[in-house]
Amino acid sequence: MFELRKLPFEPKDISGVVSEETCSFHYGKHHQTYINNLNKQLENSPLKDDHLLDIIMKSEGGLFNNAAQVYNHDFYWDCIAKKSSMSSELKEVLEKDFTDFKSEFIAAATGLFGSGWLWLVHNLKNNKLEIVGTSNAATPITDGKVPLLVVDVWEHAYYIDFRNARAKYLEEFYNHINWEFVSKAYEWSKKEALESVRFYINEVHPEAKKA
C-alpha cells in the first residue's frame, strides 16, 4: 500500500509560488486521490507487489495514470521545496545544451496545450539534457529519460492563485526552483541512469519499498 508522501516544505514557506489554499487542494485532495485510486486498482492487479517504477513501466490505462501521477506529483513538490542554487556542473551543462534555458523552459511550458507536465530530463541515449512536454499523466521515464525538473501545468496547480495566467505562475515557479534537488538528480542520473528513479521512489515511499 502506498501512502501520501509528506510535503518537503511548509506551505506558508513557499507562498510565492503556491498558496496554502492551493496546497490544500492540490496536495491534500488531488495527490491523495491518486494514491487512493492506485491502492484500490492494485488490490486485484498482477502488479500489486511491484515497485512503483515497475508499475509505471508495465501498466496502462487507469492504473498507469494513477501510478504516474503519484510519481509526477512527488517529484514536483521536491522541485519547489526551497529556493536554492544549482551546482556548477549543472550550470555548465545547461549553458552547453541550451541557448537560454529559462526562456526555452518557460516558453515550452506556456505553450503546452491542455493538461500536462513540462520536464527537464537527462537523455541517457545521447547524454544530453532536454526539455520534454508530456500530456495528462505521461512521464518521460517510460521513454528511458531521467527527470531532473518538472513543472505541473494542469490548471489545478495554479488556478486558485493565478487564475488563467499560466505564464505568471511559471515565472514564480522558476524563481522558486530547488536547484539543489535538480543538481543531485542529475548527479545520480549520471551514476545510476534510470535506476536513480527507483532510488528516489524508495526515499519518498519507504513504506512500499520493493526490489
Side-chain angles (χ1 to χ4, degrees):
M1 295 287 287
F2 291 92
E3 298 174 4
L4 182 66
R5 67 161 297 174
K6 185 179 185 299
L7 281 176
F9 54 82
E10 292 296 330
K12 62 182 176 59
D13 294 336
I14 62 161
S15 58
V17 60
V18 291
S19 66
E20 291 187 59
E21 184 181 8
T22 290
C23 281
S24 175
F25 281 93
H26 193 180
Y27 167 74
K29 297 188 184 299
H30 289 278
H31 197 172
Q32 180 69 71
T33 297
Y34 293 126
I35 289 282
N36 295 345
N37 289 343
L38 174 60
N39 286 331
K40 185 175 182 179
Q41 291 173 328
L42 283 173
E43 287 177 359
N44 299 309
S45 169
L47 302 178
K48 65 181 179 180
D49 294 322
D50 282 18
H51 191 277
L52 182 60
L53 174 60
D54 299 317
I55 295 170
I56 293 170
M57 299 297 279
K58 297 175 184 178
S59 64
E60 56 186 19
L63 180 55
F64 169 81
N65 289 337
N66 286 289
Q69 285 290 71
V70 167
Y71 167 78
N72 293 351
H73 281 84
D74 288 340
F75 203 80
Y76 170 70
W77 301 127
D78 280 311
C79 287
I80 56 173
K82 64 179 181 179
K83 294 174 67 172
S84 60
S85 300
M86 69 178 72
S87 66
S88 57
E89 179 184 28
L90 179 62
K91 184 175 185 293
E92 181 179 337
V93 176
L94 286 175
E95 291 175 348
K96 176 175 68 72
D97 289 345
F98 301 96
T99 301
D100 182 346
F101 174 72
K102 178 181 178 181
S103 296
E104 293 174 50
F105 186 85
I106 290 178
T110 302
L112 188 65
F113 182 76
S115 300
W117 305 81
L118 201 283
W119 308 79
L120 171 67
V121 301
H122 181 203
N123 187 329
L124 300 172
K125 293 181 179 178
N126 59 18
N127 197 32
K128 291 184 178 295
L129 302 190
E130 298 175 350
I131 293 171
V132 173
T134 61
S135 297
N136 300 319
T139 176
I141 62 177
T142 57
D143 293 324
K145 297 178 180 180
V146 179
L148 307 181
L149 170 68
V150 70
V151 61
D152 187 343
V153 293
W154 284 65
E155 279 195 343
H156 64 242
Y158 59 88
Y159 203 84
I160 289 173
D161 302 325
F162 300 97
R163 296 300 186 261
N164 63 331
R166 182 190 286 188
K168 181 172 175 55
Y169 157 68
L170 292 169
E171 284 285 348
E172 292 299 328
F173 169 87
Y174 199 91
N175 291 333
H176 287 77
I177 290 175
N178 183 6
W179 287 112
E180 180 182 338
F181 173 76
V182 180
S183 300
K184 288 180 179 177
Y186 178 53
E187 180 182 344
W188 278 102
S189 179
K190 290 191 305 171
K191 292 178 181 177
E192 303 291 343
L194 202 60
E195 281 298 293
S196 64
V197 177
R198 189 182 305 275
F199 299 150
Y200 168 77
I201 291 171
N202 288 346
E203 291 183 354
V204 176
H205 294 284
E207 81 287 350
K209 188 184 294 184
K210 303 178 180 74

